[in-house]
Amino acid sequence: MQKDFYDFIVVGAGAAGLTAAQYGARSGLSTLLIDCAETGGQALNIFTLENFPGFFPAVKGTTFIQNMLSQTQSFGAEILNTKVLSIDKVKGKFIIETEKGRISAYSVLIATGAAHKTLNIPGERELCGRGVSYCATCDGPFFRGGKIVVAGGGDSACEEAFYLSSLADSVILVHRRGELRAQKAIQQKIQKVKNITVLYNTEIEKINGSEKVRSVLLKNNLSGEKTEMPCDAVFVFVGMTPRTELVSMLKKDEGGYLITNYRMETAVSGIYAAGDVRAKPFRQLITASSDGAIAAHQAHEYVTLLKAQKKNL
Ligand code: NAP
């Protein structure tokens, strides 16, 4: 049964949170992992995970997360599915209000990740779920044999275009600049796929359709020329916004990501940040896991010292 006090509470059950909970529990901290959504975070959307060392041949993101979850629970970490409403530090302890009641802890890790950004163009919100999507593995199979437009030029857009090309007749990757942002290896992978076309210097101005997506209005931002292109679906992968609303007291960078030192410590002692919510140069599953392991190690040191000080009082 869930307790009302833990040594270490992890908020967010993606790769960073799962790793931290595993390391925390294994080091002897009573550990609770809280998430309001399905355990796994963005990794659940990965069709084939091919760049996590030690997992060869590639595995599905869902398989990877299921293994991580079982491993975390095997060390005694508890999982609570609820929404965290607030986090406050009171007299050296953290008070966490959730939809299932109040829980306290000596230390807290923020591993809440990031949410996808939108294009903010006419038709996007109206046709969401009717051809506009932000998850290729969830919705791609609905458009088997169709013509799919993918917005964005980063790793996500290219990886997801690659996955969608296995289902669709054609995939049109629409990128606003003259070169892709994605890692070179990922760019080379999509260049080899015959049914992926990249439209550079092009923006989607509008998504047309009533019951479902019918076409997109494209604008070449060099020539100003506008064209309407028929399509069945628009998948949007234009970056992420960090989820930091619970921790307004913590410092953020200009992009809104939480600032930590290399030990994952924030400016408030006892509270750590890990994974995609943290300001850092490279966001990958493996860097999320690395952050989680370091944060749990630091939390263990912090809680051990705190308990020793209490004993000596
Ligand atoms: P990202 O790297 O921030 O790329 C976002 C892309 O969307 C950029 O190409 C950007 O264009 C474009 N964009 C942003 N706002 C736009 C708008 N309003 N209209 C049109 N285009 C817009 O985001 P991401 O691809 O989601 O990746 C997020 C993080 O996850 C990255 O750190 C990435 O490395 C990581 N990731 C890794 C893998 C992997 O290794 N397999 C897979 C997925 C994600 P500009 O280039 O012009 O700015």
Side-chain angles (χ1 to χ4, degrees), residues 102-119:
R102 176 180 291 186
I103 316 165
S104 306
Y106 283 134
S107 62
V108 173
L109 171 65
I110 307 300
T112 40
H116 62 74
K117 283 185 184 161
T118 59
L119 286 167

Side-chain angles (χ1 to χ4, degrees), residues 51 153-156 159 175-177 181 183 238-239 283-284:
N51 62 352
D155 288 346
S156 299
E159 285 284 16
H175 181 42
R176 64 183 178 182
R177 283 191 300 126
R181 178 182 292 278
Q183 298 167 62
V238 292
R283 294 192 175 81
Q284 300 277 293

Side-chain angles (χ1 to χ4, degrees), residues 171-228:
V171 174
I172 319 296
L173 183 65
V174 178
H175 181 42
R176 64 183 178 182
R177 283 191 300 126
E179 59 180 302
L180 296 170
R181 178 182 292 278
Q183 298 167 62
K184 286 283 170 280
I186 299 177
Q187 291 190 32
Q188 283 160 5
K189 191 163 86 170
I190 64 161
Q191 275 159 12
K192 292 184 191 138
V193 183
K194 285 203 176 75
N195 63 340
I196 299 179
T197 307
V198 185
L199 295 183
Y200 292 101
N201 300 305
T202 305
E203 289 166 39
I204 305 174
E205 283 208 330
K206 192 176 174 211
I207 305 172
N208 300 312
S210 48
E211 287 307 300
K212 56 183 184 157
V213 168
R214 187 172 40 80
S215 66
V216 283
L217 180 64
L218 300 176
K219 180 184 174 188
N220 181 304
N221 55 28
L222 296 181
S223 66
E225 189 191 344
K226 293 190 184 187
T227 34
E228 187 173 342

